[in-house]
Amino acid sequence: MRFLLPLLLALPCAANATEITFAVTHQPPYMIEETKSGIFVDLITEIFSAAGQTAKPVFLPNRRAFASFEEKKVDGVLYYFGDKAKESCRTENYANYQPTLVALKKNNYSLKTLDGLQGQRVGAFLGAKDYFVPDYPEYPGAVAKARDYREEADITRISKLLLNDRIDIGILDWRLFLWTAKAESQGNLYAVRDIERHPYFATAWVGAQFWNTAHCEAFNKGLAILKSNGRYDAINQKYSDDVLGGM
């Protein structure tokens, strides 16, 4: 019996292996609540799996996702820009957003600088002004010269307004625009093929944030494995194909 005791004591630990929770918010194609999938979700779960650990997404509204991380109700969050988690660690960059200017081709805008926003009807994602100021200090002054400037929490609304010629320029992530335009393709005056992309902004790379440094180390290890075995590129390609399919 004494020889079995160490084995018996070890069994509960194996059965209750720690599950790493990370907060996300519904934002296709990056995070899709219905299927618990998406570019960011698939990458994070497979990265930890490659490192021999299990990770579980916890879908929450945007502000609650960050608050839950700050209050340590979850182990991590897909990215973090706040100042209330100074003892946490940040992983290596694993994914990116593609903020861009989009407009109807028929308007033939020259948007090489933000001066092109002057006199136009502009729609941007909620929080755009605060987001861009650190890297683009000219942003507030530029949008102040727009004929109309609005920020919307619902990216679908910006897409609909743009495809129905009710705003002139949209400021949003390119993949989010393609996804929402595809999902809401009926009844619009224009289609994605009528849209021109003006990539003024730099690609925005993100790293995940965790409280436990061991989680960050495991993440970085798993990320290197996914990049070396081809899964990293395959996941990104899968959602690129999904977004562009049928357009």
Side-chain angles (χ1 to χ4, degrees), residues 48-62:
F48 274 116
S49 179
Q53 301 197 41
T54 302
K56 176 184 177 182
V58 179
F59 280 84
L60 297 165
N62 198 37

Side-chain angles (χ1 to χ4, degrees), residues 190-247:
Y190 297 93
V192 171
R193 62 177 175 273
D194 302 311
I195 292 293
E196 186 172 16
R197 180 186 183 188
H198 301 265
Y200 174 76
F201 303 108
T203 298
W205 285 91
V206 297
Q209 202 88 5
F210 293 94
W211 286 106
N212 190 333
T213 55
H215 292 162
C216 284
E217 291 169 0
F219 187 101
N220 293 339
K221 176 184 176 182
L223 177 60
I225 293 172
L226 253 63
K227 286 184 175 180
S228 66
N229 66 16
R231 279 300 296 162
Y232 181 85
D233 290 335
I235 291 170
N236 280 285
Q237 187 60 49
K238 173 186 183 302
Y239 288 97
S240 294
D241 292 343
D242 285 350
V243 168
L244 295 172
M247 288 189 171

Side-chain angles (χ1 to χ4, degrees), residues 77-144:
V77 66
L78 74 162
Y79 59 80
Y80 183 74
F81 301 112
D83 58 2
K84 297 179 181 179
K86 295 179 180 179
E87 296 178 2
S88 64
C89 58
R90 186 180 188 276
T91 70
E92 294 178 7
N93 292 336
Y94 72 95
N96 64 72
Y97 284 104
Q98 299 175 355
T100 192
L101 304 170
V102 291
L104 288 169
K105 291 178 182 177
K106 72 179 183 67
N107 292 325
N108 197 30
Y109 292 134
S110 176
L111 296 174
K112 295 180 179 179
T113 72
L114 294 180
D115 291 339
L117 303 182
Q118 184 172 348
Q120 308 300 338
R121 301 168 298 169
V122 180
F125 62 90
L126 185 64
K129 194 178 294 185
D130 292 335
Y131 172 80
F132 285 121
V133 163
D135 295 318
Y136 303 92
E138 71 275 22
Y139 187 91
V143 298

Side-chain angles (χ1 to χ4, degrees), residues 128-224:
K129 194 178 294 185
D130 292 335
Y131 172 80
F132 285 121
V133 163
D135 295 318
Y136 303 92
E138 71 275 22
Y139 187 91
V143 298
K145 295 177 183 178
R147 185 171 67 169
D148 177 66
Y149 176 77
R150 67 178 73 187
E151 293 188 359
E152 297 280 356
D154 185 2
I155 297 297
T156 301
R157 179 164 172 76
I158 299 176
S159 299
K160 293 288 284 185
L161 290 170
L162 187 64
L163 293 171
N164 287 284
D165 206 10
R166 293 175 60 190
I167 60 172
D168 302 308
I169 299 167
I171 301 175
L172 68 170
D173 176 81
W174 179 239
R175 293 191 193 101
L176 286 173
F177 168 71
L178 291 176
W179 187 280
T180 54
K182 179 180 178 181
E184 300 289 336
S185 61
Q186 301 301 314
N188 297 319
L189 293 176
Y190 297 93
V192 171
R193 62 177 175 273
D194 302 311
I195 292 293
E196 186 172 16
R197 180 186 183 188
H198 301 265
Y200 174 76
F201 303 108
T203 298
W205 285 91
V206 297
Q209 202 88 5
F210 293 94
W211 286 106
N212 190 333
T213 55
H215 292 162
C216 284
E217 291 169 0
F219 187 101
N220 293 339
K221 176 184 176 182
L223 177 60

